[in-house]
Coordinates of all heavy atoms in Angstrom, one line a residue:
M1 N 1.4 7.1 -77.0 CA 2.1 6.1 -77.8 C 2.0 4.8 -77.0 O 2.4 4.7 -75.9 CB 3.5 6.5 -78.0 CG 4.3 5.4 -78.8 SD 5.9 5.9 -79.4 CE 6.8 6.0 -77.9
K2 N 1.6 3.7 -77.7 CA 1.4 2.4 -77.1 C 2.8 1.7 -77.0 O 3.5 1.7 -78.0 CB 0.4 1.6 -77.9 CG 0.2 0.2 -77.2 CD -1.0 -0.4 -77.8 CE -1.3 -1.7 -77.1 NZ -2.6 -1.9 -76.7
V3 N 3.1 1.2 -75.9 CA 4.3 0.4 -75.7 C 4.0 -1.1 -76.0 O 3.0 -1.6 -75.4 CB 4.8 0.5 -74.2 CG1 6.0 -0.3 -73.9 CG2 5.1 2.0 -73.8
K4 N 4.8 -1.7 -76.9 CA 4.5 -3.1 -77.2 C 5.0 -4.0 -76.2 O 4.3 -5.1 -75.9 CB 5.1 -3.4 -78.6 CG 4.5 -2.7 -79.7 CD 5.1 -3.1 -81.0 CE 4.5 -2.4 -82.2 NZ 5.1 -2.7 -83.4
E5 N 6.1 -3.7 -75.5 CA 6.7 -4.6 -74.6 C 7.3 -3.8 -73.4 O 7.8 -2.7 -73.7 CB 7.8 -5.4 -75.2 CG 8.6 -6.3 -74.3 CD 9.7 -7.1 -75.0 OE1 10.7 -6.5 -75.4 OE2 9.5 -8.3 -75.2
I6 N 7.2 -4.3 -72.2 CA 7.9 -3.7 -71.1 C 8.7 -4.7 -70.4 O 8.3 -5.9 -70.2 CB 6.8 -3.0 -70.1 CG1 7.6 -2.1 -69.1 CG2 5.9 -4.0 -69.5 CD1 6.7 -1.1 -68.4
I7 N 9.9 -4.3 -69.9 CA 10.8 -5.3 -69.3 C 11.0 -4.8 -67.8 O 11.2 -3.7 -67.6 CB 12.2 -5.3 -70.0 CG1 12.0 -5.7 -71.5 CG2 13.1 -6.2 -69.3 CD1 13.2 -5.6 -72.3
F8 N 10.9 -5.8 -66.9 CA 11.1 -5.6 -65.5 C 12.4 -6.4 -65.1 O 12.5 -7.6 -65.5 CB 10.0 -6.1 -64.7 CG 8.8 -5.1 -64.6 CD1 7.8 -5.2 -65.7 CD2 8.6 -4.2 -63.6 CE1 6.8 -4.4 -65.6 CE2 7.5 -3.4 -63.6 CZ 6.6 -3.5 -64.6
V9 N 13.3 -5.7 -64.4 CA 14.4 -6.5 -63.8 C 13.9 -6.9 -62.4 O 13.5 -6.1 -61.6 CB 15.6 -5.5 -63.6 CG1 16.7 -6.3 -62.9 CG2 16.1 -5.1 -65.0
V10 N 13.9 -8.2 -62.2 CA 13.5 -8.8 -60.9 C 14.7 -9.3 -60.1 O 15.5 -10.0 -60.7 CB 12.5 -10.0 -61.2 CG1 12.1 -10.6 -59.9 CG2 11.3 -9.5 -62.0
E11 N 14.7 -8.9 -58.9 CA 15.8 -9.4 -58.0 C 15.3 -9.9 -56.7 O 14.2 -9.5 -56.3 CB 16.8 -8.2 -57.7 CG 17.5 -7.7 -58.9 CD 18.4 -6.5 -58.5 OE1 17.9 -5.6 -57.8 OE2 19.5 -6.5 -59.0
E12 N 16.0 -10.9 -56.1 CA 15.6 -11.4 -54.8 C 15.9 -10.3 -53.8 O 17.1 -9.8 -53.8 CB 16.3 -12.7 -54.5 CG 15.8 -13.9 -55.3 CD 16.4 -15.2 -54.9 OE1 16.2 -15.6 -53.7 OE2 17.2 -15.7 -55.7
D13 N 15.0 -10.0 -52.9 CA 15.3 -9.1 -51.8 C 16.0 -9.8 -50.7 O 15.6 -10.9 -50.3 CB 14.0 -8.5 -51.3 CG 14.1 -7.3 -50.4 OD1 14.9 -7.4 -49.5 OD2 13.4 -6.3 -50.6
P14 N 17.1 -9.2 -50.2 CA 17.8 -9.8 -49.1 C 17.0 -10.1 -47.8 O 17.2 -11.0 -47.1 CB 18.9 -8.8 -48.7 CG 19.0 -7.9 -49.9 CD 17.7 -7.9 -50.6
E15 N 15.9 -9.3 -47.7 CA 15.0 -9.5 -46.5 C 13.9 -10.5 -46.8 O 13.0 -10.7 -46.0 CB 14.5 -8.2 -46.1 CG 15.5 -7.3 -45.6 CD 15.0 -5.9 -45.2 OE1 13.8 -5.7 -45.2 OE2 15.8 -5.0 -44.9
G16 N 13.9 -11.1 -48.0 CA 12.8 -12.0 -48.5 C 12.0 -11.4 -49.6 O 11.8 -10.2 -49.6
G17 N 11.4 -12.3 -50.4 CA 10.6 -11.9 -51.5 C 11.4 -11.4 -52.7 O 12.6 -11.6 -52.8
F18 N 10.7 -10.6 -53.6 CA 11.3 -10.2 -54.8 C 10.9 -8.7 -55.1 O 9.8 -8.3 -54.6 CB 10.8 -11.0 -56.0 CG 11.1 -12.5 -55.9 CD1 10.3 -13.3 -55.2 CD2 12.3 -12.9 -56.4 CE1 10.6 -14.7 -55.1 CE2 12.6 -14.3 -56.3 CZ 11.8 -15.1 -55.7
T19 N 11.8 -8.0 -55.8 CA 11.5 -6.6 -56.2 C 11.5 -6.6 -57.7 O 12.3 -7.4 -58.3 CB 12.5 -5.6 -55.6 OG1 13.8 -5.9 -56.1 CG2 12.4 -5.6 -54.1
A20 N 10.8 -5.7 -58.3 CA 10.8 -5.5 -59.8 C 10.8 -4.1 -60.1 O 10.0 -3.3 -59.6 CB 9.5 -6.2 -60.4
Q21 N 11.7 -3.7 -61.1 CA 11.8 -2.3 -61.5 C 11.7 -2.3 -63.0 O 12.4 -3.1 -63.7 CB 13.2 -1.8 -61.1 CG 13.6 -0.4 -61.7 CD 12.8 0.7 -61.1 OE1 12.7 0.8 -59.9 NE2 12.3 1.6 -61.9
A22 N 10.8 -1.5 -63.6 CA 10.7 -1.4 -65.1 C 11.8 -0.7 -65.7 O 12.3 0.4 -65.1 CB 9.3 -0.8 -65.4
L23 N 12.3 -1.1 -66.8 CA 13.3 -0.4 -67.5 C 12.7 0.7 -68.4 O 11.7 0.4 -69.1 CB 14.1 -1.3 -68.4 CG 14.9 -2.5 -67.8 CD1 15.6 -3.3 -68.8 CD2 15.9 -1.9 -66.8
G24 N 13.1 1.9 -68.2 CA 12.6 3.0 -69.0 C 11.3 3.7 -68.5 O 10.8 4.6 -69.1
H25 N 10.8 3.2 -67.3 CA 9.6 3.7 -66.7 C 9.8 3.8 -65.2 O 10.6 3.0 -64.7 CB 8.4 2.8 -67.1 CG 8.1 2.7 -68.5 ND1 7.4 3.6 -69.2 CD2 8.5 1.8 -69.4 CE1 7.3 3.3 -70.5 NE2 7.9 2.1 -70.6
S26 N 9.1 4.7 -64.6 CA 9.1 4.8 -63.1 C 8.1 3.9 -62.5 O 7.2 4.3 -61.9 CB 8.9 6.2 -62.7 OG 9.8 7.1 -63.3
I27 N 8.3 2.6 -62.6 CA 7.4 1.6 -62.0 C 8.3 0.6 -61.2 O 9.2 0.0 -61.7 CB 6.7 0.8 -63.1 CG1 6.0 1.7 -64.1 CG2 5.7 -0.2 -62.5 CD1 5.4 1.0 -65.3
F28 N 7.9 0.5 -59.9 CA 8.6 -0.4 -59.0 C 7.5 -1.1 -58.2 O 6.5 -0.5 -57.7 CB 9.5 0.4 -58.1 CG 10.2 -0.4 -57.0 CD1 11.4 -1.0 -57.3 CD2 9.6 -0.6 -55.8 CE1 12.0 -1.8 -56.4 CE2 10.3 -1.3 -54.8 CZ 11.5 -2.0 -55.1
T29 N 7.7 -2.4 -58.0 CA 6.8 -3.2 -57.1 C 7.5 -4.3 -56.5 O 8.7 -4.6 -56.8 CB 5.5 -3.6 -57.9 OG1 4.6 -4.2 -57.0 CG2 5.9 -4.7 -58.9
E30 N 6.9 -5.0 -55.6 CA 7.5 -6.2 -54.9 C 6.4 -7.2 -54.6 O 5.2 -7.0 -54.6 CB 8.2 -5.7 -53.6 CG 7.3 -5.0 -52.6 CD 8.0 -4.3 -51.5 OE1 9.3 -4.3 -51.5 OE2 7.4 -3.8 -50.6
G31 N 6.9 -8.4 -54.2 CA 6.0 -9.5 -53.8 C 6.8 -10.5 -53.0 O 8.0 -10.7 -53.2
E32 N 6.1 -11.3 -52.2 CA 6.7 -12.3 -51.4 C 7.1 -13.5 -52.3 O 8.1 -14.2 -52.0 CB 5.8 -12.8 -50.3 CG 5.7 -11.7 -49.1 CD 7.0 -11.5 -48.5 OE1 7.7 -12.4 -48.2 OE2 7.3 -10.3 -48.2
T33 N 6.3 -13.8 -53.3 CA 6.5 -14.9 -54.2 C 6.5 -14.4 -55.6 O 6.1 -13.3 -55.9 CB 5.5 -16.0 -54.1 OG1 4.2 -15.5 -54.5 CG2 5.3 -16.6 -52.7
L34 N 7.1 -15.2 -56.6 CA 7.0 -14.8 -58.0 C 5.6 -14.6 -58.5 O 5.3 -13.7 -59.2 CB 7.8 -15.7 -58.8 CG 9.3 -15.6 -58.8 CD1 10.0 -16.7 -59.6 CD2 9.8 -14.3 -59.2
Q35 N 4.7 -15.5 -58.0 CA 3.3 -15.4 -58.4 C 2.7 -14.1 -57.9 O 2.0 -13.4 -58.7 CB 2.5 -16.6 -57.9 CG 1.2 -16.8 -58.5 CD 1.3 -17.1 -60.0 OE1 2.3 -17.7 -60.5 NE2 0.3 -16.7 -60.8
E36 N 2.9 -13.8 -56.6 CA 2.4 -12.5 -56.1 C 3.0 -11.3 -56.8 O 2.3 -10.3 -57.1 CB 2.7 -12.4 -54.6 CG 2.2 -11.2 -54.0 CD 2.5 -11.1 -52.5 OE1 2.7 -12.1 -51.8 OE2 2.6 -9.9 -52.0
L37 N 4.3 -11.4 -57.1 CA 5.0 -10.3 -57.9 C 4.3 -10.1 -59.2 O 4.1 -8.9 -59.6 CB 6.5 -10.7 -58.0 CG 7.3 -9.6 -58.8 CD1 7.5 -8.4 -57.9 CD2 8.6 -10.1 -59.2
K38 N 4.0 -11.2 -59.9 CA 3.4 -11.0 -61.3 C 2.0 -10.3 -61.1 O 1.7 -9.4 -62.0 CB 3.1 -12.4 -61.9 CG 4.4 -13.1 -62.3 CD 4.1 -14.4 -62.9 CE 5.4 -15.2 -63.2 NZ 5.1 -16.5 -63.7
G39 N 1.3 -10.6 -60.1 CA 0.0 -9.9 -59.9 C 0.2 -8.4 -59.6 O -0.5 -7.5 -60.1
N40 N 1.3 -8.1 -58.8 CA 1.6 -6.8 -58.4 C 2.1 -6.0 -59.6 O 1.9 -4.8 -59.7 CB 2.6 -6.7 -57.2 CG 2.0 -7.2 -56.0 OD1 0.8 -7.3 -55.8 ND2 2.8 -7.6 -55.0
V41 N 2.8 -6.6 -60.5 CA 3.3 -6.0 -61.7 C 2.1 -5.6 -62.6 O 2.1 -4.4 -63.1 CB 4.3 -6.9 -62.5 CG1 4.4 -6.4 -64.0 CG2 5.6 -7.0 -61.8
K42 N 1.1 -6.4 -62.7 CA -0.1 -6.1 -63.5 C -0.8 -4.9 -62.8 O -1.2 -4.0 -63.5 CB -1.0 -7.3 -63.6 CG -0.5 -8.4 -64.5 CD -1.5 -9.6 -64.5 CE -1.0 -10.7 -65.4 NZ -1.9 -11.8 -65.4
D43 N -0.9 -4.9 -61.5 CA -1.6 -3.8 -60.8 C -0.8 -2.5 -61.0 O -1.4 -1.5 -61.3 CB -1.7 -4.1 -59.3 CG -2.7 -5.2 -59.0 OD1 -3.5 -5.6 -59.8 OD2 -2.6 -5.8 -57.9
A44 N 0.5 -2.6 -61.0 CA 1.3 -1.4 -61.1 C 1.2 -0.8 -62.6 O 1.1 0.4 -62.8 CB 2.8 -1.7 -60.8
L45 N 1.1 -1.7 -63.5 CA 0.9 -1.3 -64.9 C -0.4 -0.6 -65.1 O -0.5 0.4 -65.8 CB 1.1 -2.5 -65.9 CG 2.5 -3.0 -66.0 CD1 2.5 -4.3 -66.9 CD2 3.4 -2.0 -66.7
E46 N -1.5 -1.1 -64.5 CA -2.8 -0.5 -64.6 C -2.8 0.9 -64.0 O -3.5 1.7 -64.5 CB -3.8 -1.4 -63.9 CG -4.1 -2.7 -64.7 CD -5.0 -3.6 -63.9 OE1 -5.5 -3.3 -62.8 OE2 -5.3 -4.7 -64.5
C47 N -2.0 1.1 -63.0 CA -1.9 2.4 -62.4 C -1.1 3.4 -63.2 O -1.3 4.6 -63.3 CB -1.2 2.4 -61.0 SG -2.3 1.6 -59.8
H48 N -0.1 2.9 -64.0 CA 0.8 3.7 -64.7 C 0.3 4.0 -66.1 O 0.5 5.1 -66.6 CB 2.2 3.0 -64.8 CG 3.3 3.8 -65.4 ND1 3.9 4.8 -64.6 CD2 3.8 3.9 -66.6 CE1 4.8 5.4 -65.4 NE2 4.8 4.8 -66.6
F49 N -0.3 3.1 -66.8 CA -0.8 3.2 -68.2 C -2.3 3.3 -68.2 O -3.0 2.7 -67.4 CB -0.3 2.0 -69.0 CG 1.1 2.0 -69.3 CD1 1.9 1.1 -68.6 CD2 1.8 2.8 -70.2 CE1 3.3 0.9 -68.8 CE2 3.1 2.7 -70.4 CZ 3.9 1.8 -69.7
E50 N -2.8 4.1 -69.2 CA -4.2 4.0 -69.5 C -4.5 2.7 -70.2 O -3.6 2.1 -70.8 CB -4.6 5.2 -70.4 CG -4.5 6.5 -69.6 CD -5.0 7.7 -70.5 OE1 -5.8 7.5 -71.4 OE2 -4.5 8.8 -70.2
K51 N -5.7 2.3 -70.2 CA -6.1 1.0 -70.8 C -5.7 0.8 -72.2 O -5.1 -0.2 -72.6 CB -7.7 0.8 -70.7 CG -8.2 -0.5 -71.0 CD -7.9 -1.4 -69.8 CE -8.7 -2.7 -70.0 NZ -8.4 -3.7 -69.0
R52 N -5.8 1.9 -73.1 CA -5.5 1.8 -74.5 C -4.0 1.8 -74.7 O -3.5 1.5 -75.8 CB -6.2 2.8 -75.3 CG -5.7 4.2 -75.0 CD -6.5 5.3 -75.8 NE -6.0 6.6 -75.7 CZ -6.3 7.4 -74.7 NH1 -7.2 7.0 -73.7 NH2 -5.8 8.6 -74.6
E53 N -3.2 2.2 -73.7 CA -1.7 2.2 -73.8 C -1.0 1.0 -73.1 O 0.2 1.0 -73.1 CB -1.2 3.5 -73.2 CG -1.7 4.8 -73.9 CD -1.3 6.0 -73.2 OE1 -0.9 6.0 -72.0 OE2 -1.4 7.1 -73.8
M54 N -1.8 0.1 -72.6 CA -1.2 -1.0 -71.9 C -0.3 -1.8 -72.8 O -0.6 -2.2 -73.9 CB -2.3 -1.9 -71.4 CG -1.9 -2.9 -70.3 SD -1.3 -2.2 -68.8 CE -2.8 -1.6 -68.1
P55 N 0.9 -2.2 -72.3 CA 1.9 -3.0 -73.1 C 1.2 -4.4 -73.4 O 0.5 -4.9 -72.6 CB 3.1 -3.2 -72.2 CG 3.0 -2.1 -71.2 CD 1.5 -1.8 -71.0
L56 N 1.6 -4.9 -74.6 CA 1.1 -6.2 -75.0 C 1.8 -7.3 -74.4 O 1.3 -8.4 -74.2 CB 1.2 -6.3 -76.5 CG 0.4 -5.3 -77.3 CD1 0.7 -5.4 -78.8 CD2 -1.1 -5.4 -77.1
L57 N 3.1 -7.1 -74.0 CA 3.9 -8.2 -73.5 C 4.7 -7.7 -72.3 O 5.2 -6.6 -72.3 CB 4.9 -8.7 -74.6 CG 5.9 -9.8 -74.2 CD1 5.1 -11.1 -73.9 CD2 6.9 -10.0 -75.3
I58 N 4.7 -8.4 -71.2 CA 5.5 -8.1 -70.0 C 6.6 -9.2 -69.9 O 6.3 -10.4 -69.9 CB 4.6 -8.2 -68.7 CG1 3.4 -7.3 -68.9 CG2 5.4 -7.9 -67.5 CD1 2.3 -7.5 -67.8
R59 N 7.8 -8.7 -69.9 CA 9.0 -9.6 -69.8 C 9.6 -9.4 -68.4 O 9.9 -8.2 -68.0 CB 10.0 -9.3 -70.9 CG 11.1 -10.2 -70.9 CD 12.0 -9.9 -72.1 NE 11.4 -9.8 -73.3 CZ 11.2 -10.8 -74.2 NH1 11.7 -12.0 -73.9 NH2 10.7 -10.6 -75.4
L60 N 9.8 -10.4 -67.7 CA 10.5 -10.4 -66.4 C 11.9 -11.0 -66.6 O 12.1 -12.1 -66.9 CB 9.8 -11.2 -65.3 CG 8.3 -10.8 -65.0 CD1 7.7 -11.7 -63.9 CD2 8.2 -9.4 -64.6
H61 N 12.9 -10.1 -66.3 CA 14.3 -10.5 -66.4 C 14.7 -10.8 -65.0 O 15.0 -9.9 -64.2 CB 15.1 -9.4 -67.1 CG 16.6 -9.8 -67.2 ND1 17.0 -10.7 -68.2 CD2 17.6 -9.4 -66.5 CE1 18.3 -10.8 -68.0 NE2 18.7 -10.1 -67.0
I62 N 14.8 -12.1 -64.6 CA 15.1 -12.4 -63.2 C 16.6 -12.5 -63.0 O 17.3 -13.3 -63.7 CB 14.4 -13.7 -62.8 CG1 12.9 -13.6 -63.0 CG2 14.7 -14.1 -61.4 CD1 12.1 -14.8 -62.8
V63 N 17.1 -11.7 -62.1 CA 18.6 -11.7 -61.8 C 18.8 -12.3 -60.5 O 18.2 -12.0 -59.5 CB 19.1 -10.2 -61.7 CG1 20.5 -10.2 -61.4 CG2 18.8 -9.5 -63.0
R64 N 19.7 -13.3 -60.5 CA 20.0 -14.0 -59.3 C 21.5 -13.9 -59.0 O 22.3 -14.2 -59.8 CB 19.6 -15.5 -59.4 CG 19.9 -16.3 -58.2 CD 19.4 -17.7 -58.4 NE 20.1 -18.5 -57.4 CZ 20.2 -19.8 -57.5 NH1 19.7 -20.5 -58.6 NH2 20.8 -20.5 -56.6
E65 N 21.8 -13.4 -57.8 CA 23.2 -13.3 -57.4 C 23.6 -14.5 -56.6 O 22.8 -14.9 -55.7 CB 23.3 -12.0 -56.5 CG 24.7 -11.8 -56.1 CD 24.9 -10.5 -55.3 OE1 24.2 -9.5 -55.6 OE2 25.7 -10.5 -54.3
E66 N 24.7 -15.0 -56.9 CA 25.2 -16.2 -56.2 C 26.7 -15.9 -55.8 O 27.5 -15.5 -56.7 CB 25.1 -17.4 -57.0 CG 25.4 -18.7 -56.3 CD 25.0 -19.9 -57.1 OE1 24.0 -19.8 -57.9 OE2 25.7 -20.9 -57.0
K67 N 27.1 -16.2 -54.6 CA 28.4 -16.0 -54.2 C 29.0 -17.4 -53.8 O 28.3 -18.2 -53.2 CB 28.5 -15.1 -52.9 CG 27.9 -13.7 -53.2 CD 27.9 -12.9 -51.9 CE 27.2 -11.6 -52.1 NZ 27.1 -10.8 -50.9
F68 N 30.3 -17.5 -54.1 CA 31.0 -18.7 -53.6 C 32.5 -18.4 -53.5 O 33.0 -17.4 -54.1 CB 30.8 -19.9 -54.6 CG 31.3 -19.6 -56.0 CD1 32.6 -20.1 -56.3 CD2 30.6 -19.0 -56.9 CE1 33.1 -19.9 -57.6 CE2 31.1 -18.8 -58.2 CZ 32.3 -19.2 -58.5
A69 N 33.2 -19.2 -52.7 CA 34.6 -18.9 -52.5 C 35.5 -19.7 -53.5 O 35.1 -20.7 -54.0 CB 35.0 -19.4 -51.1
Y70 N 36.6 -19.1 -53.9 CA 37.4 -19.6 -54.9 C 38.2 -20.8 -54.3 O 38.5 -21.8 -55.0 CB 38.4 -18.6 -55.4 CG 39.4 -19.1 -56.4 CD1 39.0 -19.4 -57.7 CD2 40.7 -19.3 -56.1 CE1 39.9 -19.9 -58.6 CE2 41.6 -19.8 -57.0 CZ 41.2 -20.1 -58.2 OH 42.1 -20.6 -59.1
A71 N 38.6 -20.8 -53.1 CA 39.4 -21.7 -52.4 C 38.9 -23.1 -52.5 O 38.4 -23.9 -52.8 CB 39.6 -21.4 -51.0

């Protein structure tokens, strides 16, 4: 069955760079920059899906954690 869209949750890695985890699939990758991460996401998809099953749209949901003091 062809997947029309796949969503990745992207987070900044505390040690630097970014990580991406696909929702609903066992796909995980990382990259030093967002540009590198996008290329690695495409590579991971090619390993996970056959050519005819490749998703038409890749959505990156970028989560950014920010901390601050109330005082």
Side-chain angles (χ1 to χ4, degrees):
M1 178 171 67
K2 185 168 182 130
V3 177
K4 292 183 180 179
E5 176 182 70
I6 190 163
I7 301 171
F8 283 83
V9 174
V10 177
E11 297 178 313
E12 289 184 65
D13 191 312
E15 297 177 8
F18 298 89
T19 60
Q21 171 74 44
L23 298 179
H25 299 277
S26 298
I27 307 172
F28 178 85
T29 190
E30 57 190 5
E32 288 298 316
T33 65
L34 284 175
Q35 195 64 31
E36 181 182 334
L37 180 71
K38 289 176 185 179
N40 291 344
V41 164
K42 289 180 182 179
D43 290 344
L45 289 173
E46 289 174 2
C47 291
H48 190 79
F49 292 102
E50 292 184 24
K51 192 74 165 174
R52 66 181 186 278
E53 297 176 344
M54 193 66 68
L56 299 174
L57 180 65
I58 303 166
R59 186 179 306 269
L60 300 180
H61 181 77
I62 301 173
V63 178
R64 181 176 162 199
E65 183 176 322
E66 190 170 324
K67 298 176 186 176
F68 63 96
Y70 178 74

